Amino acid sequence: MPVLTEYYFEYTECDSTGSRWRVAIPRSPGSCSHLPPPARGMDCSFSCVAGEFLEMSTQQCTPCAAGSYSLGSGLRFDQWDAIPAGFTSLASYMEPGPPGEDGQACNNSSWSPQGVYLESNRDDCTVSLIYAVHLEMQGSVSFTYQYPDNNIFFEFYVQNEQCQEMAQADDQKWIKVTSNGEWETHMVNLKSGTNILYWRTTGILVGRKTVKPVLLRNIQIEGVAYTSECFPCRPGWFSPAPGSSSCQPCPRNTSSGKGSSTCDPCPPHHYSHEGWAECKVKPPCSQKDYFQIHTACDSEGKTQVMYRWVEPKICVEEAAGAVQLPPSGTREPCPPCNPGYYNTNDSTCFPCPPGTHSDGTLSLACAACPAGTEPVLGYEYKWWNVLPSNMKTSCFNVGNSKCDDMNGWEVAGDHIRSGAGGTDNDYLILSLRVPGFKVPTSLAGMTGSEFGRITFNFETICYSDCELYFMMDVNRKSTTVVESWEGSQKRLSYTHIMTRNASVSFTWAFQRTNEALDVRRYVGDMVKLYSISVTNVVGGVASSCRACALVSQQAQEQTGSSCVPCPAGFYIDQGTNRCRECPAGTHLAGRHTYGQEACVPCGPGSRSDKEHSLCYNDCSFSLTADNRTLTFDLSALSAMASLTNGPSFTSKGTKYLHLFNVSLCGHEGKRAAVCTDNVTDLSAKEDQGDQAQFVNSVNSFICQSTIIPADGRGFRTALSSQSISLADTFLGATVDSVLSDVNAKPQLFPKRPSDVPDINFFYRSSQATASCDQGRSSVITVRCNPGKPERGELSVPSSCPAGTCDGCTFHFLWESVSACPLCTQDDYHQIEGACKGGLQETLSVWNEPKLCTKGAPLPARVSAPCEAVALWLKVGLGGGAFAAALLVALTCYFWKKNKRLEYKYSRLVMSANRECELPAADSCALAEGEEPEDDVVYAQKTTLLGKLRAIANKQEGESSESVQLKSSESERWVWG
């Protein structure tokens, strides 16, 4: 008869009545003899309680042995030394990349086990963690996760056995973002039957540093019918008693193996952290194992320098080459109080009372603000002898090591710096709580969007991949990473502007490395924070006073205040301390209103609004050139336009697009372009109020979003992320290529085809980034193109397909017929037709090519009666007749003159042949110009022929009397 180890029991599938049978399965194939006969099994809805398992031989619930645990009707996965059986990590490459892209780029991407948690891939591949489970009853799945980076799309969804996705609300499918170092739990109800669970991540690496991975731990599934065995405790954990539903981590300086019921102490000179499976040798102590602190100031204004070992202490002082802890107690002068505080006799700093101020160096009480001034309220911390009361520091580790009892940051006199922490991948956290913002009385009339700002000065000293995060938690809803810096950074200043009034918690989190290391290597890496300044804080202290507008003595007695807010658009006159309106075409810039210089002229092509709070363009432009005024009506371009460029592909083949929403003029200066992160909206459905809009939506003149198409990763809808503002303020519109240090770089676009100049609209976003310390800027070049429609076409430079070549200045070309100047009478000419039926038509025709739009229309065709013989025709005929008569007269004259010359020549020849003598002169004297051989008689009345003859004989304009000449051979009269 076979023994029990030769077979094991299983249940058959449940039938329609909910019944099943227990059958024996041989462990060796082919050995089917002498097996126990099938027996009726327990009802399908039966399950054991937590801490017990179903003993199949007796079909009774039995407590788990010490060193193991069970959930009864559930499963728990909390050991991640390897991916547990039943889980599959599948990388998908659903979108073909650009030509030549390696189709196997994502084959090595997967979820990876890290001991106490499971880590998603860090690249931009789509990777799914899949687990299939069959539930006999309705149940649930819950898991603890950390999701700090919204540049990863993280979703959880469930499919049935036909691979059909089960109905889930968006807030169940899309996982909420967490803070760095913060764990959240997500739970979804499951139906009975087969459930296929998917945890899917898609990273987006579009011109930025590596994303922070998603971490998973403690996956628990409820609803399985039973468990036939208990799970052993993982190494480093134990369960001391039978019937446990969970295991506990071994205390510090102890260890355990798999399935242990107790923990063993570490040998001498060895150590372990909580939950470690083995102990390690303590190294000799070094300078990395202690840190320096300062005590509070005493009554003599002195502070003591103290040295402490990093706890838990994991080094040996007695080992060869070990350093000793430096002696503590050295007294040093205390630094001054921070601005807005004053020293007491016991060297303790206290805040100044309301209405007073102090620079922190005065030992006396705070001074009252003079009449006509008000205190400038805020926080200004630049001396770090003690941690301010509204600041907290802590230490957190994603691997769940205990560093909660440590200070994450330590004060150090003129700066506050990161502490030692417990391990190199701890998050060292410093937070500052601001209850709210209040605009001062002198600025209450301003209509700008700035309620306050925070500025801090810092540097990082690193030898590894350290990173400093600056985060913001508004109204305790969700923490958002505002900016981060990697590696060593020289001392620099960063400013963030608050655009709404809310309670805010600002957080600085520093991590030396995100690798889980067993040995301290980078404890010397640190961040130093030198100063923090927050303006317009509710309940803040004052370091100085600001001028305000005075009120009458009677009003001051009634209100108890000598200050009154100026109306919107008014400044405080320096001479009278009264409110005066800013001149036309200027706006109140910055956050001060004292003196007329606070009214800054608007840029070219812009005007100020009624409140003088901003400058804007009304979608029109005028230009005078070559004694001609060009007027542009750009109202057809006033509505928001969109431009999607791409597609582009990341190094792993993720397809993405850049979506730009552009509002050329806005609405009287109000920014009208909106970009939204829809994934964050979906994952925070309960926060869809004003706060969600504040965090996840961007309003600007130009904004940009990164789009993952719906077909790019199998999502049901296109995903929008990384929305940023590229243009918050309008600087001006001009045909020049440079304005306020912003360069339009016209060489980035093709040369304009006509002489109509391009109009450049300049914008700036004052919010500084790690790569753009002056903020981003943008230029929209508006170009006349008669071949484009009224709404025109937007484009970006072909050499910079992302719209920018340096990451800070963005360039756009907007071609449209609406960008052509308004037509005037200089843009057309008139053509007169032939005279037909006594009528003549005059037609107006546009000059070609036509480079204008709208404006003056073409004049209508005009018809007018024409004469039988037109005046020009009469003049032409008269002139022609005169010319013909003149030509005939000249011909006759020169013909006759030629005949006379022939006659003279023949006589000369005849005289020369007579006895070879020269002919004798017929006259003893001749006047110059007279003909010697003719007797010429001119009539008293000069004829036309005579005048011509006189001209030929150089006697123009003269009349001669009749002269009788006697020829040597004959006498005759010749009439001219």
Side-chain angles (χ1 to χ4, degrees):
M1 191 171 178
V3 297
L4 188 63
T5 56
E6 295 179 355
Y7 60 87
Y8 62 94
F9 292 108
E10 281 191 1
Y11 281 132
T12 62
E13 293 289 336
C14 295
D15 58 23
S16 59
T17 63
S19 301
R20 58 187 171 183
W21 292 80
R22 187 198 69 175
V23 296
I25 308 296
R27 297 185 183 277
S28 300
S31 176
C32 297
S33 60
H34 305 292
L35 293 177
R40 183 171 293 276
M42 300 295 292
D43 188 81
C44 288
S45 61
F46 170 81
S47 64
C48 296
V49 298
E52 296 182 347
F53 72 101
L54 183 63
E55 175 59 56
M56 294 294 289
S57 59
T58 61
Q59 298 195 64
Q60 298 293 324
C61 291
T62 306
C64 291
S68 63
Y69 73 97
S70 81
L71 300 178
S73 62
L75 302 173
R76 178 186 293 151
F77 302 95
D78 55 7
Q79 300 182 40
W80 303 102
D81 299 315
I83 295 182
F87 281 86
T88 302
S89 181
L90 178 64
S92 57
Y93 190 75
M94 303 178 65
E95 186 68 28
E101 186 75 25
D102 183 10
Q104 308 298 318
C106 291
N107 281 1
N108 295 326
S109 300
S110 67
W111 288 78
S112 57
Q114 300 293 332
V116 295
Y117 56 83
L118 193 64
E119 181 181 278
S120 72
N121 56 305
R122 295 171 181 263
D123 53 30
D124 52 355
C125 293
T126 296
V127 182
S128 298
L129 180 68
I130 307 171
Y131 184 74
V133 63
H134 185 81
L135 303 184
E136 295 295 342
M137 64 187 80
Q138 289 187 350
S140 64
V141 56
S142 63
F143 54 89
T144 306
Y145 70 94
Q146 188 175 123
Y147 175 26
D149 195 339
N150 61 5
N151 292 292
I152 289 181
F153 294 136
F154 181 29
E155 60 176 336
F156 172 76
Y157 61 96
V158 183
Q159 290 183 349
N160 59 21
E161 53 192 357
Q162 283 82 32
C163 294
Q164 296 173 335
E165 188 171 333
M166 297 185 181
Q168 283 180 263
D170 286 329
D171 58 338
Q172 290 183 315
K173 173 170 178 157
W174 298 104
I175 309 301
K176 290 178 59 176
V177 175
T178 64
S179 303
N180 282 282
E182 179 182 341
W183 293 93
E184 292 283 352
T185 300
H186 187 78
M187 188 185 76
V188 174
N189 293 324
L190 302 177
K191 296 181 179 179
S192 59
T194 300
N195 293 264
I196 306 175
L197 313 179
Y198 288 83
W199 292 265
R200 182 160 69 171
T201 59
T202 298
I204 307 178
L205 276 66
V206 181
R208 76 181 302 273
K209 44 188 171 284
T210 305
V211 296
K212 291 293 182 182
V214 174
L215 308 181
L216 279 180
R217 70 176 188 185
N218 297 343
I219 298 176
Q220 184 165 322
I221 303 172
E222 296 287 346
V224 296
Y226 68 94
T227 177
S228 58
E229 60 180 346
C230 295
F231 301 99
C233 293
R234 62 178 174 173
W237 294 62
F238 74 105
S239 62
S244 296
S245 61
S246 63
C247 298
Q248 306 172 28
C250 286
R252 198 162 51 203
N253 294 326
T254 65
S255 64
S256 69
K258 186 176 182 178
S260 297
S261 59
T262 59
C263 298
D264 302 322
C266 290
H269 301 303
H270 286 67
Y271 75 99
S272 73
H273 291 305
E274 183 183 65
W276 276 24
E278 59 181 5
C279 299
K280 296 187 177 182
V281 178
K282 290 183 178 181
C285 290
S286 66
Q287 293 180 349
K288 297 179 180 180
D289 294 303
Y290 67 85
F291 60 94
Q292 178 190 82
I293 62 173
H294 292 73
T295 63
C297 291
D298 56 22
S299 59
E300 298 179 1
K302 300 288 186 178
T303 179
Q304 295 187 41
V305 181
M306 311 295 290
Y307 294 92
R308 297 286 184 268
W309 290 112
V310 175
E311 294 294 341
K313 184 181 177 183
I314 59 172
C315 65
V316 180
E317 296 180 65
E318 298 79 12
V323 300
Q324 302 298 314
L325 189 69
S328 299
T330 304
R331 290 163 59 87
E332 296 179 351
C334 284
C337 291
N338 281 308
Y341 291 79
Y342 69 98
N343 286 324
T344 59
N345 292 332
D346 59 355
S347 298
T348 302
C349 294
F350 287 94
C352 289
T356 63
H357 71 283
S358 169
D359 62 2
T361 61
L362 300 176
S363 59
L364 301 176
C366 302
C369 287
T373 64
E374 61 181 345
V376 181
L377 299 179
Y379 298 146
E380 187 175 354
Y381 303 124
K382 60 181 181 180
W383 299 110
W384 303 94
N385 192 52
V386 295
L387 192 68
S389 59
N390 58 350
M391 299 185 72
K392 293 182 179 180
T393 177
S394 60
C395 176
F396 194 87
N397 190 288
V398 297
N400 206 23
S401 318
K402 294 294 184 181
C403 71
D404 293 343
D405 55 345
M406 299 181 182
N407 285 333
W409 293 62
E410 301 289 349
V411 293
D414 64 342
H415 68 275
I416 182 172
R417 62 187 176 189
S418 54
T423 60
D424 284 350
N425 67 337
D426 289 343
Y427 283 98
L428 307 175
I429 298 172
L430 177 69
S431 60
L432 168 63
R433 187 70 185 170
V434 177
F437 298 89
K438 181 182 179 181
V439 178
T441 300
S442 61
L443 305 179
M446 298 188 71
T447 57
S449 59
E450 179 180 334
F451 285 84
R453 60 175 59 193
I454 179 171
T455 302
F456 56 92
N457 193 284
F458 72 98
E459 71 172 330
T460 55
I461 305 170
C462 298
Y463 301 94
S464 181
D465 57 338
C466 74
E467 188 160 8
L468 173 66
Y469 300 89
F470 174 59
M471 300 176 288
M472 182 174 65
D473 182 359
V474 181
N475 288 338
R476 302 190 180 188
K477 289 292 184 76
S478 63
T479 301
T480 303
V481 176
V482 178
E483 192 56 77
S484 62
W485 297 265
E486 285 185 338
S488 292
Q489 299 285 341
K490 294 183 179 180
R491 186 164 175 171
L492 55 87
S493 179
Y494 179 80
T495 298
H496 178 75
I497 299 174
M498 294 299 300
T499 56
R500 62 166 289 177
N501 189 7
S503 62
V504 182
S505 179
F506 297 108
T507 301
W508 295 263
F510 179 70
Q511 187 183 39
R512 293 183 172 90
T513 178
N514 59 13
E515 298 180 11
L517 302 175
D518 294 333
V519 181
R520 300 298 303 273
R521 296 181 181 175
Y522 309 111
V523 72
D525 293 8
M526 69 177 67
V527 55
K528 294 182 178 180
L529 194 58
Y530 293 97
S531 63
I532 302 175
S533 174
V534 189
T535 63
N536 303 342
V537 177
V538 173
V541 294
S543 59
S544 60
C545 300
R546 176 194 284 114
C548 62
L550 292 173
V551 297
S552 64
Q553 185 67 29
Q554 181 180 1
Q556 181 177 348
E557 294 175 356
Q558 294 176 351
T559 61
S561 174
S562 61
C563 292
V564 62
C566 288
F570 283 69
Y571 68 96
I572 303 172
D573 183 80
Q574 291 178 330
T576 63
N577 270 41
R578 301 293 182 184
C579 298
R580 289 193 176 181
E581 186 176 4
C582 281
T586 64
H587 69 290
L588 285 170
R591 300 301 296 173
H592 69 96
T593 59
Y594 191 65
Q596 188 172 352
E597 61 271 14
C599 304
V600 179
C602 292
S606 63
R607 65 178 67 179
S608 62
D609 60 356
K610 295 180 180 179
E611 294 80 14
H612 297 277
S613 61
L614 51 84
C615 299
Y616 70 97
N617 179 276
D618 59 356
C619 273
S620 65
F621 187 77
S622 183
L623 172 68
T624 300
D626 298 331
N627 296 324
R628 182 185 176 189
T629 299
L630 302 178
T631 303
F632 298 83
D633 181 7
L634 306 176
S635 57
L637 309 180
S638 61
M640 188 185 77
S642 295
L643 167 65
T644 303
N645 66 337
S648 300
F649 296 87
T650 63
S651 59
K652 292 293 185 178
T654 299
K655 178 181 178 181
Y656 69 92
L657 309 169
H658 275 148
L659 170 67
F660 297 97
N661 286 333
V662 177
S663 172
L664 184 69
C665 313
H667 179 66
E668 292 188 356
K670 305 301 188 297
R671 301 179 289 271
V674 180
C675 295
T676 304
D677 291 351
N678 64 351
V679 172
T680 313
D681 287 343
L682 295 172
S683 63
K685 191 175 181 180
E686 68 274 15
D687 296 335
Q688 288 299 299
D690 182 48
Q691 168 59 23
Q693 290 297 316
F694 170 66
V695 174
N696 308 322
S697 196
V698 173
N699 292 74
S700 181
F701 286 103
I702 309 171
C703 59
Q704 172 193 288
S705 295
T706 301
I707 305 296
I708 303 296
D711 59 347
R713 283 292 182 265
F715 298 121
R716 291 178 300 176
T717 182
L719 304 181
S720 174
S721 178
Q722 303 180 23
S723 296
I724 57 174
S725 172
L726 306 180
D728 291 327
T729 305
F730 176 65
L731 300 178
T734 176
V735 295
D736 298 331
S737 59
V738 179
L739 180 64
S740 300
D741 297 328
V742 181
N743 194 331
K745 294 185 177 180
Q747 66 272 15
L748 294 176
F749 296 105
K751 188 177 180 180
R752 66 176 187 266
S754 67
D755 293 334
V756 178
D758 293 339
I759 308 171
N760 296 314
F761 282 70
F762 292 86
Y763 308 86
R764 188 184 295 280
S765 178
S766 58
Q767 199 72 275
T769 66
S771 56
C772 308
D773 54 357
Q774 300 297 320
R776 300 182 181 93
S777 56
S778 300
V779 183
I780 302 177
T781 300
V782 179
R783 174 173 292 177
C784 168
N785 190 334
K788 302 295 183 181
E790 281 194 351
R791 286 287 295 149
E793 293 182 5
L794 272 170
S795 62
V796 294
S798 58
S799 58
C800 309
T804 177
C805 301
D806 57 7
C808 293
T809 303
F810 290 75
H811 302 270
F812 303 89
L813 177 64
W814 200 337
E815 297 180 278
S816 168
V817 65
S818 301
C820 298
L822 297 179
C823 295
T824 65
Q825 62 182 4
D826 295 329
D827 294 302
Y828 61 84
H829 60 277
Q830 294 181 333
I831 300 176
E832 294 183 346
C835 186
K836 295 182 180 180
L839 293 177
Q840 185 181 33
E841 291 188 344
T842 301
L843 181 66
S844 298
V845 179
W846 292 114
N847 299 333
E848 291 296 337
K850 182 185 177 185
L851 298 175
C852 66
T853 183
K854 301 178 182 177
L858 275 178
R861 180 177 301 184
V862 178
S863 297
C866 54
E867 300 178 7
V869 180
L871 177 62
W872 64 269
L873 183 57
K874 293 179 179 180
V875 173
L877 291 174
F882 175 78
L886 180 61
L887 182 60
V888 171
L890 288 174
T891 302
C892 294
Y893 167 73
F894 285 109
W895 177 80
K896 291 178 66 177
K897 189 170 183 65
N898 185 53
K899 286 296 184 180
R900 290 196 186 101
L901 289 174
E902 289 180 358
Y903 173 73
K904 290 177 183 179
Y905 179 73
S906 60
R907 288 188 60 188
L908 183 61
V909 172
M910 292 175 62
S911 299
N913 292 334
R914 190 179 299 160
E915 297 178 359
C916 296
E917 294 180 1
L918 293 174
D922 293 331
S923 174
C924 62
L926 292 175
E928 183 180 357
E930 291 181 342
E931 295 289 345
E933 68 278 16
D934 295 321
D935 296 326
V936 181
V937 179
Y938 288 94
Q940 293 295 327
K941 184 176 182 180
T942 306
T943 64
L944 176 62
L945 186 57
K947 289 183 179 180
L948 291 175
R949 185 175 180 182
I951 292 174
N953 292 319
K954 299 182 180 180
Q955 293 180 351
E956 183 179 355
E958 296 182 3
S959 298
S960 301
E961 297 179 355
S962 298
V963 180
Q964 184 177 1
L965 297 179
K966 186 176 182 180
S967 175
S968 58
E969 296 189 3
S970 63
E971 296 179 351
R972 60 177 177 172
W973 293 98
V974 178
W975 295 91

